[in-house]
């Protein structure tokens, strides 16, 4: 009801509102416009509904009645009806407006709308049951547009008809009225459109989701896309893994590249890439070995000791280089006067020589181990006279071949040397063996080169340290160091010295750890008892032969060195289980502290007689301290469970370990 | 007089469950088969299994328990390592006695009591295996009474010039420890 004129219910009465008196308010105007629009919409709805109900049997779906789900119906019928209705309405409105001689400002919209309707008419050609979903979607969107246009057109007609409204004796500008009316109706129109869209969308998706072909196609597409993406991701990850394992492949020309980098010292910019180059060298050897898989096959041909040796060598070289770089950087950055230079030189050579000794010790151990391994693993050496060249001589040959040759050519030479003169069967074995031992040879050769060089010669260790100050490699820093810069402060110098000490200490500690790990792993993985004994002797010789190495051995933490044999006497156990558990825990603790041999004293009741057997089994199966402790935990938990259920028939710990290790 | 010093607990930092160290060899001790070489004897003694009379009457450990060091008040996580600082010429065998109180085995948390015991044994090994002439060994009387002032540390080393173990006696109650104190100090 209009607030000012409740009797007005029809468009004809609306004109009476727009009296020349101009008493009609804006609210009244909006009310009438709204009313008109609602009437138009309701009429359209009714007309559509009537047509749908009285029309073809296929017309079950409409934009407003979507209750019949799942039935196939001609979706374009609705839009068609709507289009026809809208077209008729427009025609009528246009003719009416033309007849009334009004200025039709919405002519452009009407034109567009009519054009679209005509196009719709021509395009659909009275097809009541289209099967194509695309056509269906198009028809839906067109129908919505028709509806929107119809509503807008009706509104526009209403507005235009009420433009004669005056307010306070003045005519209200048409644009103002239009704007207000449109704003008033915007919400309703949009809401209506959204509602319609959602209903239609629901129908569409409901139908589609029940279509098994469509669903399977979607799944297949998704799966294909996902599979492709997963494959890409996996490939990328593998590439990264391989690059991480093998290092960036660069143009490595010789096996001695890493060594050359090391030899070049701190002045060589390649030092930064030393580890990469070493890895590249390894990768090249991998390619030579025809290992087609990416990372593992190369490593599979190596023993654990070799892998560790390789790792330690690389690590040592990197650390060595880093340390040198650190020295260089420190010296470059913190230029000091001559008297302070002396302080630096007092620190650096001693620690450097210590580090050198440690490296030499490690290298000699690795060399010895590889040599021993070559002797032990190459039975054809003696049987095949033509291929009797030992690894030492082979490596010597490698050295003769020179650092300029690629490792591939060296490898080929190695194959030829080993395979050519011998019998065919032996040759095959030799080739297989040689493939396996190529890495050993290369490492061995590299080590020998390193050891033969003067900077790593045991005899020249001290001299080289002293010479290092005058060495051309370090001469770059010297002029800077000798510059008389008086502004260098004492505090900076002290920081520098302490930093040097700290860095050298860390470096040496790491080296010591690496060396000792190597020794332990060599001892652990060595199958030959005699070789092990020799190795230990060799290690002792190396340790005693090297002044700094011996000092380092003395100064290092006992937990990192195989300590003395330990005899344990327990005086506190009461039960058998406690006694066994105590012994096992002590065994674990002793293992953590690298006790080589643990003896238990006072086993008069025979409770610990199985302990040696257990330890042998654990060592044989490669159990670590953590593994063993976890086994003990399992036992304890099982025992708790047994106790909880009242099961008294339990195994003792050592029996359990024997059965479960 | 016996010197002792508190030490840090390095074994706390060990991640036992994930330690990748290999296990060592184990054998039963047979005196006849052993050659004279560098060995260490570690005697683990649970003080809660010792009766008071023995403790009070036997050896330096007992005498200390009457005075400054009362073993009955020893906490579960504490361990006292009594070390012999002099190698005997005939055997080269160094000895250490690790006194500790065994923690009750908590039936709920297996890991806790296992690690607790393991840590004590580790402390024992750690201190018993460390060189006797380490910096931890202070001169006699330097740190007298200081051990009680370091409650956060749960291991003490007590150094004696000589420790004699009576291995022939069997059973925990019959363990006899004798420690010879330094000559140039007052002997309690």
């Amino acid at each position: 009801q209009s607030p000012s004129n409740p009797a007005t219910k029809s468009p004809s009465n609306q004109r009476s509102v727009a009296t020349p008196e101009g008493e009609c308010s804006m609210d009244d105007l909006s009310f009438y416009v709204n009313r008109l629009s609602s009437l138009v919409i309701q009429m359209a709805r009714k007309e559509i509904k009537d047509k749908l109900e009285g029309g073809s049997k296929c017309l079950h779906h409409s934009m407003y009645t979507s209750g019949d789900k799942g039935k196939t119906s001609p979706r374009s019928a609705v839009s068609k009806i709507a289009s026809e209705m809208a077209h008729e309405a427009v025609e009528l409105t246009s003719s009416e407006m033309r007849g009334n001689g009004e200025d039709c400002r919405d002519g452009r919209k009407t034109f567009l709308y009519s054009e679209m309707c005509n196009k719709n008419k021509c395009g659909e050609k009275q097809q009541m049951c289209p099967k194509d979903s695309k056509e269906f979607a198009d028809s839906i969107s067109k129908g919505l547009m028709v509806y929107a246009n119809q509503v807008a057109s009706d509104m526009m007609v209403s507005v235009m008809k009420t433009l004669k409204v005056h307010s306070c004796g003045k005519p209200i500008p048409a644009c103002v009225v239009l704007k207000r009316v449109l704003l008033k109706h915007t919400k309703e129109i949009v809401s209506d459109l959204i509602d319609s869209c959602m209903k239609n969308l629901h129908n569409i998706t409901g139908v589609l989701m029940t279509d098994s072909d469509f669903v399977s196609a979607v799944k297949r597409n998704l799966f294909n896309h996902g599979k492709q993406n997963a494959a890409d991701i996996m490939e990328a990850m593998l590439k990264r893994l391989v690059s991480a394992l093998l290092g960036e492949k660069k143009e490595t020309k010789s096996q001695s590249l890493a060594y050359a980098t090391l030899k070049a010292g701190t002045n060589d910019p390649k030092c930064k890439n030393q580890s990469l180059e070493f890895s590249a060298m390894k990768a090249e050897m991998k390619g030579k070995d025809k290992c087609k898989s990416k990372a593992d096959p190369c490593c599979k041909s190596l023993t654990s000791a070799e892998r560790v040796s390789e790792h330690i060598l690389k690590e040592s070289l990197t650390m060595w280089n880093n340390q040198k770089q650190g020295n260089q950087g420190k010296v470059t950055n913190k230029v000091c006067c001559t008297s302070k230079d002396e302080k630096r030189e007092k620190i650096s050579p001693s620690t450097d020589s210590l580090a050198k000794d440690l490296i030499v010790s490690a290298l000699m151990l690795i060399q010895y181990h590889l040599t021993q391994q070559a002797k032990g693993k190459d039975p054809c050496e003696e049987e095949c006279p033509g291929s009797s060249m030992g690894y030492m001589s082979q490596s010597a040959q490698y050295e003769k071949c020179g650092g300029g040759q690629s490792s591939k050519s060296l490898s080929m030479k190695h194959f030829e040397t080993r395979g050519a003169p011998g019998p065919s069967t032996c040759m095959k074995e030799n080739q297989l063996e040689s493939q396996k031992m190529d890495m050993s040879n290369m490492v061995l050769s590299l080590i020998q080169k390193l050891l033969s060089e003067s900077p790593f010669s045991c005899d020249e260790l001290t001299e080289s340290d002293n010479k290092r100050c005058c060495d051309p490699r370090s001469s770059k820093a010297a002029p800077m160091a000798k510059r008389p810069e008086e502004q260098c402060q004492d505090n900076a110098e002290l920081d520098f010295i302490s930093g040097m000490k700290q860095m050298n200490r860390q470096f040496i500690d790491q080296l010591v750890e690496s060396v000792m790990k190597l020794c332990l792993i060599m001892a652990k993985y060595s199958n030959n008892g005699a070789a092990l004994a020799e190795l230990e002797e060799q290690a002792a010789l190396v340790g005693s032969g090297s002044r700094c190495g011996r000092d380092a051995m003395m100064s290092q933490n006992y937990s990192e060195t195989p300590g003395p044999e330990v005899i344990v006497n327990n005086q506190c156990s009461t039960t058998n289980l406690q006694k066994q558990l105590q012994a096992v825990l002590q065994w674990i603790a002793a293992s953590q502290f690298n006790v080589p041999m643990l003896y238990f004293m006072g086993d008069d009741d025979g409770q610990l007689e199985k302990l040696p057997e257990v330890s042998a089994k654990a060592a044989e199966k490669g159990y670590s301290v953590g593994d063993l402790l976890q086994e003990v935990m399992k036992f304890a938990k099982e025992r708790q469970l047994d106790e909880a259920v009242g099961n008294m028939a339990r195994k003792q710990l050592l029996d359990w370990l024997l059965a479960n290790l | 007089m016996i010197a002792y010093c508190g030490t840090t607990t390095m074994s706390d930092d060990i991640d036992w469950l994930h330690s990748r160290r290999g296990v060592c060899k184990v054998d039963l001790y047979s005196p006849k088969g052993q050659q004279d070489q560098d060995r260490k004897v570690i005697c683990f003694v649970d003080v809660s299994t010792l009766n008071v009379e023995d403790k009070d009457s036997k050896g330096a450990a007992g005498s200390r328990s009457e005075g400054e060091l009362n073993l009955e008040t020893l906490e579960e996580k504490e361990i006292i390592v009594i070390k012999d600082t002099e190698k005997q010429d005939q055997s080269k065998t160094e000895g250490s006695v690790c006194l500790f109180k065994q923690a009750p085995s908590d039936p709920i948390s297996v890991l806790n009591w296992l690690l607790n015991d393991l840590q004590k044994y580790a402390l024992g090994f750690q201190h018993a295996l460390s060189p006797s002439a380490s910096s931890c060994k202070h001169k006699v009387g330097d740190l007298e009474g200081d051990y009680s002032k370091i409650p956060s540390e749960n291991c003490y080393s007590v150094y004696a010039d000589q420790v004699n173990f009576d291995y022939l006696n069997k059973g925990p109650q019959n363990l006899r420890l004798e420690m010879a104190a330094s000559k140039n100090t007052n002997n309690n």
Side-chain angles (χ1 to χ4, degrees):
Chain A
Q1 295 289 321
S2 168
S4 59
N5 189 4
T8 54
K9 288 188 178 180
S10 66
S12 59
N13 291 333
Q14 190 180 15
R15 289 183 182 177
S16 65
V17 177
T19 55
E21 287 80 10
E23 297 297 327
C24 183
S25 68
M26 291 308 295
D27 288 336
D28 289 338
L29 178 64
S30 300
F31 170 78
Y32 290 125
V33 171
N34 188 18
R35 188 66 182 271
L36 278 171
S37 302
S38 299
L39 281 173
V40 169
I41 292 169
Q42 285 173 12
M43 287 173 65
R45 284 179 176 173
K46 187 174 183 307
E47 198 168 349
I48 290 172
K49 190 176 178 183
D50 291 341
K51 286 192 177 183
L52 286 172
E53 287 175 354
S56 168
K57 291 180 181 178
C58 295
L59 305 179
H60 292 292
H61 284 261
S62 73
M63 286 185 290
Y64 307 104
T65 57
S66 58
D68 301 335
K69 292 177 181 176
K71 294 181 179 179
T72 56
S73 61
R75 282 93 178 178
S76 64
V78 174
S79 60
K80 185 171 181 59
I81 291 168
S83 299
E84 288 174 356
M85 287 173 58
H87 186 67
E88 289 171 8
V90 168
E91 290 291 330
L92 284 173
T93 309
S94 299
S95 61
E96 186 183 358
M97 289 178 71
R98 279 195 299 272
N100 292 337
E102 293 174 356
D103 185 14
C104 185
R105 293 191 179 189
D106 57 344
R108 193 175 68 86
K109 277 201 171 187
T110 306
F111 170 71
L112 290 174
Y113 169 73
S114 302
E115 188 183 46
M116 191 179 67
C117 288
N118 291 332
K119 194 177 176 182
N120 240 1
K121 252 184 182 176
C122 299
E124 292 180 323
K125 297 289 182 187
Q126 306 292 331
Q127 293 177 3
M128 301 300 288
C129 298
K131 293 179 180 178
D132 189 9
S133 61
K134 189 172 183 299
E135 285 183 16
F136 168 63
D138 290 344
S139 65
I140 289 293
S141 60
K142 284 174 186 173
L144 289 173
M145 288 186 68
V146 167
Y147 164 71
N149 273 321
Q150 182 187 0
V151 173
S153 176
D154 292 343
M155 284 172 56
M156 292 298 289
V157 170
S158 301
V159 168
M160 295 306 292
K161 285 179 180 176
T162 55
L163 278 181
K164 292 177 182 176
V165 174
H166 286 67
S167 174
C168 300
K170 293 180 180 178
I172 302 172
C175 60
V176 174
V177 177
L178 185 62
K179 182 181 176 183
R180 290 177 180 173
V181 171
L182 285 177
L183 284 174
K184 188 88 176 177
H185 288 273
T186 297
K187 283 185 181 177
E188 293 177 14
I189 294 169
V190 170
S191 172
D192 210 0
L193 279 171
I194 289 174
D195 188 42
S196 176
C197 285
M198 291 302 292
K199 285 178 178 175
N200 282 285
L201 190 64
H202 178 75
N203 288 339
I204 295 166
T205 52
V207 171
L208 286 176
M209 285 300 110
T210 56
D211 186 350
S212 60
D213 291 341
F214 173 77
V215 172
S216 61
V218 169
K219 286 181 180 176
R220 193 166 52 246
N221 285 333
L222 285 174
F223 177 74
N224 288 335
H225 281 290
K227 193 169 65 176
Q228 184 60 37
N229 286 338
D232 293 342
I233 291 169
M234 286 299 295
E235 189 179 355
M237 286 173 66
L238 277 175
K239 280 181 181 173
R240 293 196 63 149
L241 181 65
V242 169
S243 63
L245 285 173
L246 299 180
E248 188 181 348
K249 204 163 190 174
K250 297 176 67 177
E251 291 183 3
T252 309
K253 291 182 179 179
S254 79
Q255 58 169 338
S256 61
L257 186 53
Y259 162 69
T261 308
L262 177 74
K263 185 180 172 185
T266 56
N267 294 337
D268 193 336
K270 286 182 179 179
C271 288
K272 293 176 183 175
N273 299 322
Q274 187 170 0
S275 60
L276 291 177
E277 286 163 351
F278 190 89
S279 301
M281 183 182 72
K282 190 172 70 173
E284 191 173 271
M285 286 189 287
K286 168 183 165 286
K288 175 192 63 184
D289 282 344
K290 300 179 181 178
C291 295
K292 292 185 178 179
S293 60
K294 292 186 175 179
D296 282 339
C298 185
C299 298
K300 279 178 182 173
S301 65
L302 303 175
T303 65
S304 300
E306 282 173 321
R307 269 181 272 154
V308 172
S309 307
E310 188 183 343
H311 170 72
I312 289 173
L313 184 61
K314 185 177 74 172
E315 191 178 45
S316 302
L317 292 174
T318 308
M319 283 193 297
W320 171 257
N321 185 50
N322 289 342
Q323 196 252 1
K324 301 268 279 185
Q325 280 183 325
N327 286 348
Q328 177 95 5
K330 294 268 185 180
V331 172
T332 307
N333 293 331
K334 300 189 174 185
V335 186
C336 300
C337 54
T338 310
S339 63
K340 290 166 185 174
D341 260 351
E342 292 173 0
K343 289 182 186 175
R344 179 180 59 81
E345 288 171 2
K346 279 179 185 174
I347 298 167
S348 183
S350 61
T351 51
D352 283 354
S353 63
L354 196 64
K356 272 184 193 174
D357 279 344
L358 288 166
I359 290 179
V360 169
S361 300
L363 292 178
M364 289 180 72
L365 281 170
I366 297 167
Q367 179 191 23
Y368 176 79
H369 174 75
L370 293 177
T371 310
Q372 287 296 114
Q373 190 183 46
K375 285 178 185 174
K377 286 190 175 179
D378 202 2
C380 286
E381 292 283 341
E382 296 173 3
E383 296 171 12
C384 305
S387 60
S388 61
M389 185 180 291
Y391 282 106
M392 297 297 286
S393 56
Q394 286 177 26
S395 59
Q397 186 187 3
Y398 289 159
E399 290 183 30
K400 286 177 185 175
C401 291
Q405 290 192 25
S406 69
S407 58
K408 187 175 179 181
S409 65
L410 286 173
S411 173
M412 292 307 294
K413 195 175 285 292
H414 171 70
F415 281 124
E416 291 165 9
T417 305
R418 295 176 60 89
S424 61
T425 54
C426 191
M427 186 178 72
K428 287 179 183 176
E429 292 175 1
N430 279 345
Q431 285 182 351
L432 186 63
E433 191 68 19
S434 65
Q435 284 180 0
K436 287 181 181 177
M437 300 305 290
D438 260 343
M439 179 64 82
S440 303
N441 287 329
M442 301 306 289
V443 174
L444 186 62
S445 171
L446 183 60
I447 290 171
Q448 286 172 343
K449 280 198 170 190
L450 284 169
L451 290 175
S452 64
E453 276 299 311
S454 58
F456 287 96
S457 172
C458 295
D459 298 332
E460 299 181 13
L461 279 174
T462 311
E463 295 176 14
S464 64
D465 292 336
N466 296 331
K467 286 175 185 174
R468 219 169 55 84
C469 306
C470 308
D471 196 311
R473 290 174 297 189
S474 58
S475 60
K476 282 190 179 178
M480 297 182 70
K482 289 178 182 176
R483 282 187 305 176
E485 295 187 20
E486 297 298 330
Q487 67 272 19
C488 181
Q489 297 180 359
D490 288 342
N491 289 338
E493 174 65 16
L494 288 174
D495 289 345
F496 166 67
I497 292 172
S498 62
M500 286 285 292
K501 283 181 179 175
Q502 180 69 18
M503 187 174 64
N504 287 334
R505 171 53 52 196
Q506 290 175 354
F507 172 57
I508 291 165
D509 287 346
Q510 286 175 324
L511 278 176
V512 169
E513 189 177 0
S514 298
V515 170
M516 294 319 300
K517 279 180 183 173
L518 174 70
C519 296
L520 288 172
I521 289 172
M522 281 181 174
K524 184 176 176 182
Y525 286 94
S526 174
N527 296 324
N528 190 345
L532 177 60
E534 288 180 18
L535 178 65
E536 289 170 353
E537 290 175 9
Q538 179 80 7
L541 283 174
V542 169
S544 62
S546 170
R547 169 185 54 83
C548 299
R550 184 178 62 241
D551 294 343
M553 292 285 189
M554 292 288 288
S555 64
Q556 64 193 315
N557 195 329
Y558 69 89
S559 64
E560 295 297 331
T561 53
E565 292 179 344
V566 176
I567 304 166
V568 169
N569 183 17
N570 285 312
Q571 296 289 337
C572 42
S573 297
T574 53
T575 65
N576 293 337
L577 174 65
Q578 279 182 345
K579 191 170 186 179
Q580 292 189 4
L581 185 62
Q582 187 177 32
V584 171
L585 292 179
Q586 286 165 348
W587 171 31
I588 291 174
S591 301
Q592 182 69 32
F593 290 110
N594 283 337
V595 171
M597 193 75 192
L598 187 67
Y599 293 98
F600 281 93
M601 183 188 286
D603 182 34
D604 298 314
D605 51 359
Q607 283 301 316
L608 301 181
E609 63 182 3
K610 292 178 181 172
L611 191 52
E613 198 177 343
V614 172
S615 73
K617 190 171 182 182
E620 179 189 351
K621 296 200 171 183
Y623 272 79
S624 66
V625 165
D627 298 335
L628 189 61
L629 182 60
Q630 290 182 18
E631 291 299 321
V632 175
M633 281 182 62
K634 276 186 202 170
F635 169 79
K637 285 179 179 174
E638 281 188 17
R639 190 176 175 87
Q640 279 190 353
L641 285 175
D642 286 346
E643 286 177 349
V645 299
N647 184 8
M648 300 304 290
R650 299 178 290 259
K651 279 187 177 178
Q652 290 293 332
L653 174 60
L654 293 180
D655 292 329
W656 190 91
L657 286 175
L658 267 180
N660 289 279
L661 282 185
Chain B
M1 188 74 178
I2 300 169
Y4 48 85
C5 67
T7 58
T8 55
T9 58
M10 284 172 59
S11 61
D12 287 342
D13 301 329
I14 298 172
D15 185 4
W16 293 99
L17 277 176
H18 301 98
S19 171
R20 304 312 304 167
R21 288 192 186 261
V23 293
C24 66
K25 296 177 184 175
V26 176
D27 207 349
L28 301 180
Y29 179 74
S30 60
K32 292 178 182 177
Q34 306 301 319
Q35 295 177 352
D36 186 22
Q37 54 184 294
D38 187 19
R39 288 205 183 98
K40 290 204 174 191
V41 178
I42 303 173
C43 185
F44 288 96
V45 180
D46 183 0
V47 295
S48 60
T49 62
L50 299 174
N51 55 39
V52 179
E53 290 76 17
D54 284 340
K55 280 192 300 183
D56 287 346
S57 60
K58 304 289 183 186
S63 65
R64 288 190 65 78
S65 69
E66 287 180 345
E68 305 160 18
L69 188 62
N70 188 358
L71 293 180
E72 287 185 316
T73 61
L74 191 66
E75 294 183 7
E76 292 169 357
K77 292 186 176 179
E78 289 179 344
I79 187 167
I80 295 175
V81 184
I82 302 168
K83 296 189 66 174
D84 181 10
T85 59
E86 283 188 353
K87 288 183 180 179
Q88 296 174 7
D89 292 338
Q90 62 272 22
S91 68
K92 290 186 182 178
T93 300
E94 244 184 300
S96 299
V97 181
C98 300
L99 303 175
F100 67 99
K101 190 181 281 186
Q102 202 148 28
S105 298
D106 180 8
I108 306 293
S109 174
V110 172
L111 181 62
N112 280 347
W113 62 260
L114 273 180
L115 290 182
N116 195 16
D117 285 356
L118 199 56
Q119 201 172 92
K120 277 185 294 195
Y121 297 136
L123 279 172
F125 277 111
Q126 178 181 328
H127 286 264
L129 295 177
S130 61
S132 298
S134 70
S135 59
C136 187
K137 180 184 180 302
H138 295 267
K139 287 184 179 179
V140 173
D142 277 355
L143 290 176
E144 183 176 358
D146 281 357
Y147 73 95
S148 60
K149 298 175 184 176
I150 316 170
S152 61
E153 295 169 349
N154 57 3
C155 182
Y156 314 100
S157 294
V158 181
Y159 293 93
D161 286 342
Q162 188 175 348
V163 179
N164 291 328
F165 304 94
D166 190 352
Y167 300 123
L168 298 177
N169 294 326
K170 298 185 174 56
Q173 283 77 15
N174 293 324
L175 174 70
R176 195 177 70 187
L177 304 174
E178 290 182 357
M179 296 167 60
S182 300
K183 296 171 184 175
N184 56 348
T185 59
N186 296 326
N187 193 342
N188 289 335

